[in-house]
Amino acid sequence: MPELPEVETIANHLRPALAGRTITAARLLWPRTLETPPPSQFQTRSFKRRIIGQMIRDVGRRGKFVILQLSTDTLLIHLRMSGDLLVEPDHAPLAKHHRLTLSLEDGNRLAFHDPRKFGRAWLVKDPEAVVGSLGPEPLDKTFTAEVLYRGLQASHRQLKPLLLDQTFLAGLGNIYADESLHRAGLHPLTLSNTVTAVQAKALWRGIRAALREGLRCNGASIDWVYRGGEFQNHFRAYQRTGQPCPTCGTPIVRIVVGQRSTHLCPTCQPSIQTSS
DNA sequence: CACGAGACCTGTTCGC
DNA sequence: TGCGAACAGGTCTCGT
């Protein structure tokens, strides 16, 4: 579910409810949710012993990771496809899809809710061990159009899979990749090293504009997940197969790229003809 | 190096 | 109504 704007929205929502609270208990309902330390019985006990008593100092985000800065360690959580983080009374019944809960001294608990069980958590001393390989933050001031252009030149991959590669750029997922490419007027299958500096600048603007609009809307809420986000009402291409392109009216087309649904306007995002 | 397929999971929607 | 197929916001690993 979550891409950069959704994760940022969740982190912002959690911060006031968690910052300054001390963890008093931990429950691991689906062992594989814990990536580090490894989910053996022995390690699970050491996880609980280690996290209980630590205070949550701050809640942040890097790429699609939610980062809880604790007294001595860092807890990183990746929501993957269906994960969600909730704060609820500790005495409430455990929901069917709760995978990990952390009880707090104030009577509430943080619950990692994740129907598809793809989500993961890491308790580590050094967060760089988990997020160290991530690419730049797309909204950071150091991520310029020139940086993007150089990155595109250095690779010869199709744009869509490249934008989804978190080591290339951190935070884009299927929604914002499609929305960025549509805004830039670039076909998802365009080879990155064939993109001109002018097109790279358009892509840079597209990425940042799509993410900023997503943030302004508090992210997208699709299906059963509702967090108040409403970016889904502003999609230009994503999941709009057959509906008119907001720019030119041409019906949006769906193709599959790297086993992911990909949506584009065939007029605004013309495919690159094989030239010699 | 770049790409496709399969794996990991459960739930919802679609087509017959 | 029932039932299987297709699909879902992500990422990893393997084979070519």
Side-chain angles (χ1 to χ4, degrees):
Chain A
M1 168 221 145
E3 304 178 33
L4 187 155
E6 289 77 27
V7 177
E8 177 84 26
T9 299
I10 291 169
N12 289 340
H13 179 73
L14 293 177
R15 192 170 301 111
L18 299 184
R21 296 344 185 257
T22 295
I23 296 165
T24 57
R27 262 179 302 204
L28 185 59
L29 294 318
W30 179 254
R32 296 194 60 177
T33 295
L34 186 60
E35 181 84 24
T36 306
S40 71
Q41 197 74 342
F42 175 78
Q43 297 285 358
T44 299
R45 275 196 218 97
S46 86
F47 163 77
K48 292 181 183 176
R49 206 182 317 125
R50 186 164 147 190
I51 199 167
I52 290 170
Q54 294 205 47
M55 189 183 87
I56 302 169
R57 297 202 181 285
D58 198 11
V59 182
R61 177 196 63 76
R62 170 77 169 99
K64 300 176 191 172
F65 290 81
V66 173
I67 302 182
L68 303 198
Q69 187 59 56
L70 308 180
S71 305
T72 59
D73 290 321
T74 302
L75 182 69
L76 301 100
I77 298 173
H78 198 302
L79 276 23
R80 294 281 171 90
M81 291 287 266
S82 62
D84 199 0
L85 289 169
L86 316 162
V87 176
E88 61 191 9
D90 201 15
H91 56 71
L94 282 178
K96 182 181 176 185
H97 299 305
H98 279 9
R99 308 302 179 197
L100 172 68
T101 66
L102 299 177
S103 302
L104 307 173
E105 58 180 345
D106 64 2
N108 285 327
R109 72 178 171 223
L110 173 64
F112 187 7
H113 180 94
D114 183 26
R116 291 182 69 179
K117 301 176 175 173
F118 289 161
R120 292 291 181 268
W122 296 256
L123 181 67
V124 292
K125 187 69 70 182
D126 177 14
E128 285 302 296
V130 180
V131 296
S133 60
L134 290 180
E137 281 292 322
L139 295 177
D140 194 278
K141 61 180 181 299
T142 62
F143 178 67
T144 62
E146 291 67 36
V147 168
L148 176 61
Y149 179 56
R150 271 185 260 120
L152 295 172
Q153 291 295 301
S155 174
H156 359 152
R157 298 174 59 184
Q158 298 168 337
L159 286 180
K160 172 80 185 267
L162 186 57
L163 291 179
L164 293 178
D165 182 343
Q166 302 298 296
T167 68
F168 179 77
L169 189 61
L172 290 195
N174 215 28
I175 293 176
Y176 294 92
D178 280 4
E179 293 297 308
S180 300
L181 288 166
H182 180 270
R183 285 172 187 257
L186 288 168
H187 194 281
L189 297 179
T190 307
L191 290 178
S192 60
N193 58 316
T194 69
V195 170
T196 67
V198 169
Q199 290 173 320
K201 183 136 197 174
L203 181 55
W204 177 78
R205 284 205 189 95
I207 290 167
R208 295 174 49 116
L211 291 174
R212 287 226 171 85
E213 189 173 1
L215 283 167
R216 204 162 44 70
C217 294
N218 290 314
S221 311
I222 305 178
D223 301 334
W224 28 271
V225 179
Y226 179 70
R227 203 185 320 284
E230 53 111 11
F231 185 55
Q232 66 277 11
N233 300 318
H234 301 260
F235 289 166
R236 302 185 185 190
Y238 184 77
Q239 279 188 352
R240 293 194 64 251
T241 308
Q243 297 175 55
C245 167
T247 304
C248 74
T250 304
I252 297 294
V253 164
R254 174 187 182 270
I255 62 175
V256 175
V257 182
Q259 285 141 284
R260 306 300 302 278
S261 277
T262 299
H263 314 78
L264 64 116
C265 169
T267 299
C268 297
Q269 300 167 266
S271 58
I272 308 302
Q273 300 304 313
T274 49
S275 53
S276 52

